[in-house]
Amino acid sequence: PADWARAPLDPAVRAVLVGFDEHFCYAKLCQALRYLQRGGPDCLLVGTNRDHRLPLEGGATIPGTGCLVKAVEMAAQREAFIIGKPSRYIFDCVASEFKIEPTRTIMVGDRLDTDILMGNDYGLTTLLTLTGVTTLEEVKGHQESDCSSRKSLVPDYYVDSIADLLPALED
Amino acid sequence: AGESGMAACRRLSGASAREVLGPAQGLLFDCDGVLWAGERAVPGAPELLERLSRSGKASFFVSNNSRRSVSELEQRFSRLGFRGVRAEQVFSSALCSALYLRQRLLGAGDDASPGPGRVFVLGGEGLRGELREAGLRLVGEGGPAGGKDEPPVRAVLVGYDDQFTFAKLSQACGYLRDPQCLLVATDPDPWHLLSDGQRTPGTGSLTAAVETASGRKAAVVGKPNTYMFDCIVERFGVDPSRILMVGDRLETDILFGKNCGLATVLTLTGVSRLEEAQAYMASESPAAKDLVPNYYVDSIADLISGLDD
């Protein structure tokens, strides 16, 4: 680390962007911190998303981008600007590009704290599909909770799979 | 020592130093930024320790730095000009993490103990050495590789790991899927100061990644949590009301002192600035009050004037 801290910094760097990086390592974390220290508020800290885990086939999971974002935030003692769901930014990108009317739009997703939360926060109808990370038991837990932030994770509807929507579209 | 009411961040020197040091049984020192900065002893620090010893006062050392084993620290003391510091006076987070895990993984007669198990360590050789010395088995060491008789992994220990990788993070999470597997961190420090003033990421930042991926909260051994003080009391039986905690980091050392019931002295040769202590003192938040030191000095050499010749 003493050597890494002596490596020259690129004078043009104005932002640190944390995305999914299976080659994440201490040396990179160190560099990120150096740029953020050098630039202060003039160096942006941006994270693509906060997902804790990514599902693999067969039910295994690997750490998500959210873990790497947290590591950088903790080292730098500052909060990243998050692009991805459930943040406003990514919703605005889609909504403004395509003139979306929230009341006539359905958000379909498998993750409560990103897909469903975003849909609920921005007035979309929300539909949970059970082919991904979330189980019905988890939803029931949030539904029965007294906590309002947990209630905002509850979708309007659910399907076992998005294929279940086909019959509704047949002529 | 052991004052009640809000800490007032009073400067110590001469008469006030004598008033505070006089009744003290001993002093507990953080190391980095207090005794030394990088490879340089803080001027006057070795003399202070010698004078304390001559005055019959005990000195103990408590460091969150999980890179170094106690014997490496002992050598460091010697190399930087500190005489007469014995290994038994030194409490590193590496040592205390080993003691913590030994109690939980190997402790006999403890009905909460799940039995002997291995530890997956995110950390360097200094930390590993302390764990091995405590009788703990580490993942990736000893025994037939992948042998089915290997004891299960019962703890993941996150320490300072400059070889941390995504793959190791993933491996840690695999072990943590077992709810019986403990998640322990050597210390919560988000960053450390290098000798040139730059910051390098600390254990706290790696722990944040593991906690996020696993959905678990780590049990943190180091300051400001009180376990390291428990280790000192266990070994030396000190009276907290007569011990002064001397440190350079408000959120770590001073809060630790407060949590253990010790009077606290901030030294300005390390991380925290006087303005930060004053800001906490002026803050409305009750949590901020716990970060205000009772006293401060520019350097621990200022304490020499508080001791008899």
Side-chain angles (χ1 to χ4, degrees), chain A residues 1-2 4-6 20-27 29-30 33-34 37 52-53 60-64 66-68 70-71 74-77, chain B residues 160-167 169-170 173 177 188-191 194 196-202 204-206 208-210 212-215:
Chain A
W4 297 329
R6 277 193 280 271
F20 181 73
D21 184 2
E22 66 200 0
H23 300 293
F24 183 87
C25 63
Y26 185 90
L29 175 59
C30 202
L33 180 57
R34 289 179 73 211
Q37 279 298 107
H52 295 179
R53 274 175 278 209
T61 62
I62 53 170
C67 311
L68 312 183
K70 268 270 156 43
M74 179 62 80
Q77 294 285 286
Chain B
Y160 175 84
D161 185 7
D162 61 19
Q163 304 300 309
F164 183 85
T165 60
F166 186 91
L169 172 61
S170 199
C173 291
R177 270 197 276 278
D189 298 351
W191 49 265
L194 296 172
D196 65 359
Q198 288 193 93
R199 296 181 182 184
T200 193
S205 109
L206 307 183
V210 179
T212 305
S214 63

Side-chain angles (χ1 to χ4, degrees), chain A:
Chain A
D3 289 339
W4 297 329
R6 277 193 280 271
L9 289 180
D10 183 335
V13 168
R14 298 274 313 281
V16 169
L17 173 65
V18 186
F20 181 73
D21 184 2
E22 66 200 0
H23 300 293
F24 183 87
C25 63
Y26 185 90
K28 287 176 157 185
L29 175 59
C30 202
Q31 281 298 82
L33 180 57
R34 289 179 73 211
Y35 280 117
L36 292 166
Q37 279 298 107
R38 182 189 72 172
D42 291 336
C43 181
L44 300 178
L45 173 56
V46 182
T48 56
N49 60 294
R50 284 203 186 277
D51 295 41
H52 295 179
R53 274 175 278 209
L54 300 183
L56 301 177
E57 264 184 72
T61 62
I62 53 170
T65 307
C67 311
L68 312 183
V69 172
K70 268 270 156 43
V72 178
E73 287 182 313
M74 179 62 80
Q77 294 285 286
R78 59 186 270 196
E79 226 179 280
F81 179 84
I82 303 297
I83 301 292
K85 302 169 287 185
S87 295
R88 175 113 236 165
Y89 192 82
I90 200 170
F91 176 72
D92 285 345
C93 284
V94 179
S96 56
E97 178 90 8
F98 295 99
K99 310 283 187 290
I100 290 190
E101 277 184 54
T103 53
R104 296 189 58 221
T105 307
I106 302 173
M107 173 72 208
V108 184
D110 72 309
R111 199 188 280 266
L112 300 179
D113 62 352
T114 51
D115 308 318
I116 302 305
L117 179 58
M118 186 182 80
N120 286 343
D121 279 350
Y122 304 124
L124 283 72
T125 299
T126 50
L127 171 63
L128 173 71
T129 173
L130 298 175
T131 45
V133 298
T134 306
T135 63
L136 211 48
E137 288 66 48
E138 274 177 71
V139 185
K140 296 215 160 109
H142 295 310
Q143 216 170 8
E144 281 151 24
S145 154
D146 290 324
C147 172
S148 65
S149 61
R150 286 185 71 182
K151 291 226 192 287
S152 52
L153 299 175
V154 178
D156 296 309
Y157 305 101
Y158 78 92
V159 286
D160 291 322
S161 136
I162 56 172
D164 297 353
L165 298 172
L166 281 170
L169 298 167
E170 273 153 21
D171 285 326

Side-chain angles (χ1 to χ4, degrees), chain B residues 163-272:
Chain B
Q163 304 300 309
F164 183 85
T165 60
F166 186 91
K168 285 167 136 186
L169 172 61
S170 199
Q171 192 177 355
C173 291
Y175 297 127
L176 289 167
R177 270 197 276 278
D178 173 4
Q180 294 276 309
C181 182
L182 302 176
L183 173 56
V184 184
T186 57
D187 69 277
D189 298 351
W191 49 265
H192 300 286
L193 274 183
L194 296 172
S195 43
D196 65 359
Q198 288 193 93
R199 296 181 182 184
T200 193
T203 307
S205 109
L206 307 183
T207 306
V210 179
E211 288 182 325
T212 305
S214 63
R216 304 269 296 268
K217 271 314 277 151
V220 180
V221 170
K223 303 171 284 183
N225 290 347
T226 58
Y227 184 75
M228 297 221 283
F229 187 67
D230 295 344
C231 294
I232 297 173
V233 170
E234 167 103 21
R235 197 181 275 177
F236 290 104
V238 296
D239 172 6
S241 69
R242 295 186 59 211
I243 302 284
L244 285 173
M245 171 68 204
V246 184
D248 71 310
R249 198 160 190 166
L250 296 168
E251 298 79 12
T252 315
D253 304 316
I254 303 307
L255 183 55
F256 173 75
K258 173 77 182 171
N259 288 341
C260 300
L262 315 174
T264 54
V265 182
L266 173 70
T267 175
L268 299 177
T269 47
V271 168
S272 296

